[in-house]
Short mmCIF file of all heavy atoms in Angstrom, two decimals:
data_model
loop_
_atom_site.label_atom_id
_atom_site.label_comp_id
_atom_site.label_asym_id
_atom_site.label_seq_id
_atom_site.Cartn_x
_atom_site.Cartn_y
_atom_site.Cartn_z
N PRO A 1379 7.71 36.12 -0.50
CA PRO A 1379 8.29 34.79 -0.71
C PRO A 1379 8.49 34.46 -2.19
O PRO A 1379 7.68 34.82 -3.04
CB PRO A 1379 7.26 33.85 -0.08
CG PRO A 1379 6.45 34.71 0.82
CD PRO A 1379 6.43 36.07 0.20
N THR A 1451 10.90 0.56 10.43
CA THR A 1451 10.73 2.01 10.30
C THR A 1451 9.40 2.46 10.90
O THR A 1451 9.34 3.44 11.64
CB THR A 1451 10.79 2.43 8.83
OG1 THR A 1451 12.05 2.03 8.28
CG2 THR A 1451 10.65 3.93 8.69
N VAL A 1453 7.51 0.97 13.12
CA VAL A 1453 7.51 0.82 14.58
C VAL A 1453 8.34 1.93 15.23
O VAL A 1453 7.97 2.50 16.26
CB VAL A 1453 8.05 -0.57 14.99
CG1 VAL A 1453 8.31 -0.63 16.50
CG2 VAL A 1453 7.05 -1.66 14.59
N PRO A 1458 7.94 6.65 19.30
CA PRO A 1458 8.06 8.04 19.78
C PRO A 1458 6.72 8.76 19.87
O PRO A 1458 6.53 9.63 20.72
CB PRO A 1458 8.96 8.70 18.73
CG PRO A 1458 9.71 7.59 18.11
CD PRO A 1458 8.78 6.42 18.12
N PHE A 1476 -3.02 9.68 35.07
CA PHE A 1476 -3.34 8.26 35.13
C PHE A 1476 -4.76 8.00 35.62
O PHE A 1476 -5.22 6.86 35.59
CB PHE A 1476 -2.33 7.53 36.03
CG PHE A 1476 -0.94 7.52 35.46
CD1 PHE A 1476 0.05 8.34 36.00
CD2 PHE A 1476 -0.63 6.71 34.38
CE1 PHE A 1476 1.32 8.34 35.47
CE2 PHE A 1476 0.65 6.71 33.85
CZ PHE A 1476 1.63 7.54 34.38
N SER A 1500 -1.32 -0.27 15.98
CA SER A 1500 -2.22 0.18 14.92
C SER A 1500 -1.51 1.14 13.98
O SER A 1500 -1.60 1.01 12.75
CB SER A 1500 -3.44 0.86 15.55
OG SER A 1500 -4.25 1.43 14.55
N LEU A 1510 3.58 -1.43 1.76
CA LEU A 1510 4.07 -2.69 1.22
C LEU A 1510 3.11 -3.24 0.19
O LEU A 1510 3.52 -3.70 -0.89
CB LEU A 1510 4.29 -3.69 2.35
CG LEU A 1510 4.81 -5.08 1.93
CD1 LEU A 1510 6.17 -4.96 1.26
CD2 LEU A 1510 4.87 -6.01 3.13
N VAL A 1523 1.88 -7.26 -17.15
CA VAL A 1523 1.24 -6.52 -18.24
C VAL A 1523 2.20 -5.44 -18.75
O VAL A 1523 3.19 -5.13 -18.09
CB VAL A 1523 -0.08 -5.88 -17.77
CG1 VAL A 1523 -1.08 -6.93 -17.37
CG2 VAL A 1523 0.18 -4.92 -16.62
#
Side-chain angles (χ1 to χ4, degrees):
T1451 302
V1453 169
F1476 293 106
S1500 174
L1510 180 61
V1523 297

